[in-house]
Amino acid sequence: MKYSGTKRYNGSFFEGALVGGPMFSVMESSAVTANVANRILSGERAGDIKTRPIEFAAPRFDWRQLQRFGISESNLPPGSTVYFREPTIWERYSWQIASVVAVLLIQAGLITVLLREHRRRKFSEVQARQRMAELAHVNRFSTAGELTASIAHEINQPLGAILTNAETADAILQSSNPDIAELKDIVKDILQDDRRVAEVIRRMRSLLKKAPFEVKNIDLNDLVRETVEFLSALAIARTVELVSVITPDTLPILGDRIQLQQVILNLVVNGIDAMRDTPSENRIISIRTSRVENSAQLSVSDRGSGIPEDKLKEVFVPFFTSKAEGMGMGLSIARTIIEAHHGLISAKNRDHGGATFRIRFPLVQ
């Protein structure tokens, strides 16, 4: 590598195309010369004046020229000094970069906390849903206990018809000239009664089975029809008239069929219990469906004594009940199920006696 030679050093040397190298300092040599001149002027003989030799200063280089000619600093002699070096990005913007990094670290920390809280909330929601399903399952068993008598009657009636038809068919077959046409009618009746019993058992198993929360696309109208049919035997046993008014509009919603059926069962059974002291001719439960804007609405009304005005806000609170033998969990579970379906449930008294429970679900678009 070639250097610039032994030129006297001065900052002005770097204003041209000089790259750098070992140099004498002009200021240092000037100071030595001036000192000798002063001593001569003071009377000393020039030959008697001894001065130390001025050595080369450490090599100095112009960073701008190093860049211009593509000279690497690793090739410079040890102890070299480089002038006019441009500050690095960090040296120029250190506090700005530090601020940005600090903000990014804070944001990363916040995002980590939010993600952790999101996972914890999801885990809590899953656990809460499992607890709700378990509690709802217990409540379905309680409701099934109230339905036992009517279900037994609904099963015994077709079983008795099957037995009678079977005995009649046996008697016909014992005759010398059995009536085949009548036997066909008897077999047809037996099959019909058998299917009726099987349907009752299917509904009961569906009500009692412990199933996970499973959201599907269902029609609220179909769900109401099926539930009313299931409750018809209980209504007959309790001398209650079930009146269902189903809107002709389809009401598609997202929901768990078993749990939503449980809500309707709870509301109807509560309404039947509320009309214990109501004359038999006025024991009417009205179940209506309708479409209200972008919502599917279901209302269940009874003609009982109604709800005390100061208790209207408490009916959905756990363990609140007006029945001596009640647990006070039915309406609380109903509200939990409805809210899990992103719906709303409310209660109010009717003008002419009784109470109405109204439920709204978002429609599937």
Side-chain angles (χ1 to χ4, degrees), residues 20 72 87 113 134-135 144 152 167 187 214 223 226 233 235 267 309 313 332 336 342 362:
S72 173
V113 172
E134 292 172 1
L135 189 58
E167 291 174 345
V187 171
E214 188 177 8
L223 182 67
E226 182 180 345
L267 295 179
E309 291 295 332
K313 295 183 179 180
S332 174
T336 303
H342 308 290

Side-chain angles (χ1 to χ4, degrees), residues 10 36 115 146 155 157 171 188 198 229 263 275 285 300 310:
N10 189 292
V36 171
L115 288 174
E146 300 190 44
I155 291 177
Q157 192 175 21
K188 183 178 179 181
E229 186 177 354
V263 171
M275 295 190 296
I285 297 284
V300 178
D310 58 334

Side-chain angles (χ1 to χ4, degrees), residues 1 19 61-73 76 82:
M1 175 179 177
V19 176
F61 295 91
D62 188 336
W63 182 86
R64 297 169 295 183
Q65 302 304 324
L66 292 176
Q67 298 297 312
R68 176 184 175 186
F69 295 107
I71 301 172
S72 173
E73 292 185 29
L76 301 180
V82 178

Side-chain angles (χ1 to χ4, degrees), residues 94-341:
S94 58
W95 73 269
Q96 292 95 330
I97 295 174
S99 300
V100 171
V101 171
V103 170
L104 290 176
L105 289 175
I106 293 172
Q107 287 182 338
L110 291 174
I111 291 172
T112 302
V113 172
L114 290 174
L115 288 174
R116 185 183 302 169
E117 289 300 319
H118 179 71
R119 286 196 297 267
R120 289 179 58 186
R121 188 183 68 178
K122 284 293 183 183
F123 181 72
S124 299
E125 288 177 355
V126 171
Q127 283 191 320
R129 189 166 288 175
Q130 289 174 345
R131 299 293 180 269
M132 181 194 71
E134 292 172 1
L135 189 58
H137 185 233
V138 172
N139 182 254
R140 287 199 295 275
F141 267 97
S142 175
T143 305
E146 300 190 44
L147 299 174
T148 300
S150 59
I151 291 172
H153 173 75
E154 190 172 0
I155 291 177
N156 285 332
Q157 192 175 21
L159 287 178
I162 290 172
L163 178 60
T164 301
N165 281 325
E167 291 174 345
T168 303
D170 183 63
I172 292 174
L173 291 172
Q174 295 295 333
S175 65
S176 58
N177 188 20
D179 188 342
I180 301 302
E182 186 173 356
L183 284 173
K184 288 182 179 180
D185 290 337
I186 290 174
V187 171
K188 183 178 179 181
D189 290 340
I190 290 175
L191 289 173
Q192 183 177 352
D193 289 329
D194 181 83
R195 294 190 186 100
R196 181 179 169 187
V197 172
E199 180 63 18
V200 173
I201 294 174
R202 183 195 67 79
R203 291 177 191 161
M204 197 63 183
R205 288 181 62 186
S206 175
L207 177 66
L208 296 179
K209 73 177 181 179
K210 188 176 182 180
F213 187 84
E214 188 177 8
V215 175
K216 293 183 177 179
N217 196 331
I218 59 178
D219 185 357
L220 182 62
N221 291 332
D222 292 340
L223 182 67
V224 170
R225 291 189 190 97
E226 182 180 345
T227 308
V228 169
E229 186 177 354
F230 183 63
L231 288 166
S232 59
L234 176 64
I236 293 172
R238 298 285 191 91
T239 321
V240 173
E241 181 183 357
L242 286 181
V243 177
S244 58
V245 181
I246 308 297
T247 179
D249 299 328
T250 303
L251 300 177
I253 62 172
L254 286 175
D256 183 286
R257 176 177 291 273
I258 295 175
Q259 292 197 2
L260 292 181
Q261 188 178 61
Q262 179 182 350
V263 171
I264 302 173
L265 284 171
N266 281 344
L267 295 179
V268 173
V269 170
N270 282 349
I272 291 174
D273 291 339
M275 295 190 296
R276 286 180 178 177
D277 300 328
T278 302
S280 57
E281 65 273 11
N282 290 331
R283 295 179 186 172
I284 300 174
I285 297 284
S286 299
I287 305 173
R288 297 174 179 268
T289 63
S290 59
R291 180 172 186 147
V292 180
E293 297 178 350
N294 292 324
S295 300
Q297 181 170 284
L298 166 68
S299 62
V300 178
S301 304
D302 63 69
R303 296 189 179 184
S305 56
I307 305 169
E309 291 295 332
D310 58 334
K311 303 295 183 183
L312 275 173
K313 295 183 179 180
E314 299 180 29
V315 292
F316 299 108
V317 176
F319 306 111
F320 173 82
T321 180
S322 58
K323 297 184 287 187
E325 70 282 3
M327 293 189 301
M329 293 301 296
L331 289 177
S332 174
I333 293 172
R335 183 183 66 175
T336 303
I337 292 174
I338 296 303
E339 290 178 351
H341 287 77

